[in-house]
Amino acid sequence: MTHPYFSKARHPRVLAHRGLITAVGAESGVWENTAASFAAAHAAGAEYVETDCQVTADGDVVLFHDATLERLQGDRRSVNEVRTRELRSIVADHGGLLTVAEALDAFPSVRFNIDVKTAAAVASLGPILVDHTHRVLVTSFSDVRRRAAIAAVLAAGATLRPATSGGSGSIAALRALSALRLSPARALRDIDALQIPERHGAVRVLTPALVRAAHRAGVEVHVWTVNDADDMRRLARLGVDGIVSDRADVALAALDPS
């Protein structure tokens, strides 16, 4: 049965990668994973936003990709060393910091794809996501972390588990099984989507065989991070179900069925 996360939404799906920065202007200083970047994605028509979570020194689960502030702020401190109030002050002029709970409340019609970047977020995510499992997909490169986050949501009382995509271990197993023409059923158990790059270095990850194997098991295939319109259309012709893009505006136009 299709998870509600995918119901009544356009296909192929467009997932705004950390929001949409370009729509708010190059000189705006808006950062990824901020309230402003999400608002821009939503205004452009994106139904899905891909984002990431870290945990502050106060234990708040915030939407932030990197483990440190170095890339965005030139500050080598880890996010988990910074108090939430200070992080809010830092991000205030760059689009506005959101906790996971605040994002779910601020954008009630958006479906969130949340990458759990740290084990410290797992226990707290349970009660935060418990009432939003119909519009949240939980993922992580770590299958152990991903499964723990799902378990935390169910332990918090959810009657529906969030949608989920396989981590690196699940993807590697499926790639090997599809190449050997073996059944992928075990590798795809309790997985709703595969979210993969087209290539990893010299290795092609996305193949027609992989798409067919996933579809036979009722699992969607989403490809990241794709910003060229011709590539988006080519991947759609290959049968992928979703495009994760920094340019959700471009993707929405390129994949418009009309």
Side-chain angles (χ1 to χ4, degrees):
M1 184 176 67
T2 301
H3 193 284
Y5 183 78
F6 302 112
S7 298
K8 298 178 181 179
R10 62 179 287 171
H11 184 279
R13 314 187 192 288
V14 173
L15 294 90
H17 186 230
R18 308 179 197 171
L20 181 58
I21 296 174
T22 56
V24 291
E27 290 83 31
S28 66
V30 168
W31 288 351
E32 64 197 32
N33 283 331
T34 59
S37 72
F38 295 161
H42 180 54
E47 297 171 284
Y48 296 90
V49 167
E50 187 277 343
T51 187
D52 317 89
C53 65
Q54 297 281 356
V55 176
T56 68
D58 296 307
D60 293 317
V61 186
V62 296
L63 297 179
F64 205 89
H65 178 273
D66 296 2
T68 75
L69 303 179
E70 186 169 11
R71 176 172 64 92
L72 292 176
Q73 182 70 5
D75 184 336
R76 293 186 178 181
R77 285 181 298 168
S78 298
V79 173
N80 63 17
E81 297 177 283
V82 182
R83 303 293 295 268
T84 305
R85 182 176 180 178
E86 182 184 358
L87 191 60
R88 283 194 191 280
S89 177
I90 291 170
V91 182
D93 292 334
H94 300 284
L97 181 74
L98 289 172
T99 65
V100 174
E102 288 167 346
L104 290 166
D105 288 343
F107 300 96
S109 64
V110 170
R111 307 178 197 208
F112 284 92
N113 188 121
I114 302 174
D115 187 345
V116 184
K117 292 294 188 184
T118 172
V122 167
S124 297
L125 279 174
I128 294 171
L129 301 183
V130 67
D131 294 326
H132 303 277
T133 54
H134 60 291
R135 64 183 184 107
V136 170
L137 183 148
V138 172
T139 189
S140 175
F141 283 112
S142 164
D143 279 298
V144 171
R145 191 184 308 145
R146 173 183 66 82
R147 292 188 184 106
I150 295 293
V153 177
L154 294 175
T159 56
L160 171 74
R161 70 163 176 80
T164 185
S165 67
S168 55
S170 297
I171 294 166
L174 180 61
R175 181 73 181 89
L177 289 168
S178 65
L180 295 171
R181 298 179 183 273
L182 298 175
S183 171
R186 185 169 182 175
L188 292 174
R189 185 173 54 195
D190 295 328
I191 289 175
D192 302 288
L194 286 171
Q195 297 183 329
I196 57 177
E198 187 170 7
R199 290 180 175 274
H200 181 70
V203 177
R204 174 170 286 279
V205 180
L206 178 73
T207 65
L210 184 69
V211 174
R212 290 193 297 269
H215 286 173
R216 283 195 300 270
V219 172
E220 295 203 356
V221 178
H222 303 165
V223 180
W224 51 265
T225 303
V226 187
N227 295 329
D228 179 79
D230 288 338
D231 286 337
M232 296 168 185
R233 288 187 283 263
R234 173 178 56 80
L235 291 167
R237 289 193 296 270
L238 187 62
V240 306
D241 303 285
I243 298 293
V244 183
S245 180
D246 298 320
R247 294 301 309 270
D249 52 343
V250 172
L252 289 163
L255 301 176
D256 188 342
S258 60

